[in-house]
Amino acid sequence: MKVLVINAGSSSLKYQLIDMDNEAILAKGNCERIGIDKSSITHNANGKKYVTETPISNHTEAFMMVKDALTKGEGAVIADLSEISAIGHRVVQGGALFKQSVIVDKSVVDGIESLNPLAPLHNPAHIQGINAALDVFGKDVPEVVVFDTAFHSTMPEEAYIFAVPYEFYEKYQIRRYGFHGTSHRYVTARCLELLGRSGNPEGTKIISCHLGNGSSITAVKDGKVIDTSMGLTPLDGFMMGTRSGSLDPSVVTYIAEKEGLTPSEMDNLLNKKSGMLGISGVSSDDRDIGAAAEAGNERAILAHKMLEYQIKKFVGGYAASLNGCDAIIFTAGIGENQTAHREAVCEGLSYLGVKLDKEKNAAAKGIEMEISTPDSQVKVYVIPTNEEIVIARDTKKLVEELAK
Ligand code: ADP
């Protein structure tokens, strides 16, 4: 069975075609700047990268481009679209409605649409992707949706309710939802395998650190999420590439008043101009900040110190929530590659019994590895994330169940 995994954004459409017989990636790519000028499709297949600049005015046209890239020319990996058995879509916000992946039907699309106010940038784009896939592939190819929020749906009330008047939870469903759930789910499942506990996760306590452009940390007890750092939106938690993470809420009203900013201007400032970029003034990319820090840039050094400190606070807080910790996972761009941050975070966790093997830590770049010493009370792992394979596996499972 071949599954096409889709991540549709407002102006982009990322895809991966996966052969589920051996979970091999046959092709992957991205349509960029959909509906804007200078659109293009980048297609990686057969060991080569093909970039085509061409107007792409909407998501249906993007799917047509993907279809052509997969079936025609040098980058072709299948003879015909009929070889694709199902499509799996990433959806950011499943709210309290979707606690697991589901096959798409009209009620599911309506449900995703009803959550648009909670994810105004993402959910409408996902619906465009779902409808465009239907246009191009037809209704005989089942579509499945996999939600970023679903893994977090096991959180207890005390972790997900914010301490504003309760009526806002009732009126607007304002609560912590959490994001990156598909990534946390993948690395947690892999960690349980490494701990030899995948069949019996009861009693395990895991802290999963997804550190990328956007970052979140999740506390997992018995294989189920009990708390996570992102909240109503992916702005909450600790500092990220361009996002502030948590701060004293009065900072928001104070800056807005002083600078005369509207709510949406404030939203833009906190989401796009803050975090590592806002502090360093250099870049949102951790590699650039590292280079500036090495050259002595004090604000870049401060940005790194703040990041490491804030990660440590979350890990320590979640160790308290879990009443202990068996394993800490590092994943995503920074978590998988930035050895210095891992070392700084783990050094501050010796009270938990964390002992890092510095040589292993230095060697673990983008590869799965246990980086704690054999006598460490807490195992520390680098586990490269793979959200696409989770989406493809859920899609295959649901489609096979449907066929029974
Ligand atoms: P996204 O959240 O957009 O998926 P990533 O998970 O790729 O992003 O993380 C991007 C961050 O990871 C950037 O700050 C980047 O500097 C860092 N990063 C990615 N790859 C590497 C690498 N090979 N070495 C060091 N840092 C990396």
Side-chain angles (χ1 to χ4, degrees), residues 210-214 284-287 332-334 337-338:
H210 176 112
L211 312 176
N213 269 324
S284 62
D285 192 294
D286 203 62
R287 286 167 287 199
I334 293 173
N337 295 292
Q338 294 290 44

Side-chain angles (χ1 to χ4, degrees), residues 7-10 90-93 116 119-127 234:
N7 183 357
S10 56
R90 171 192 179 220
V91 174
V92 164
Q93 180 56 277
N116 281 356
L121 297 179
H122 292 100
N123 276 24
H126 300 321
I127 293 171

Side-chain angles (χ1 to χ4, degrees), residues 2-6 13-17 59-71 78 80-89 128-143:
K2 295 185 181 82
V3 171
L4 184 63
V5 176
I6 295 294
L13 188 126
K14 294 197 188 105
Y15 62 94
Q16 245 185 51
L17 183 63
H59 285 73
T60 301
E61 282 186 26
F63 265 101
M64 296 301 284
M65 303 295 305
V66 174
K67 170 187 159 186
D68 286 350
L70 293 171
T71 56
I78 51 174
D80 189 88
L81 270 204
S82 62
E83 287 186 46
I84 298 176
S85 306
I87 301 171
H89 294 268
Q128 281 180 303
I130 291 165
N131 290 334
L134 183 65
D135 284 347
V136 175
F137 286 79
K139 62 176 173 26
D140 291 339
V141 180
E143 296 186 72

Side-chain angles (χ1 to χ4, degrees), residues 92 94 98-101 146-154 178 181 185:
V92 164
F98 298 103
K99 298 195 158 85
Q100 56 204 15
S101 306
V146 178
F147 298 92
D148 273 15
T149 46
F151 188 52
H152 301 303
S153 65
T154 49
R185 184 178 144 201

Side-chain angles (χ1 to χ4, degrees), residues 28-43:
K28 63 178 179 181
N30 191 8
C31 298
E32 285 171 282
R33 302 180 64 85
I34 299 170
I36 324 175
D37 60 334
K38 297 188 192 141
S39 348
S40 65
I41 173 167
T42 304
H43 178 71

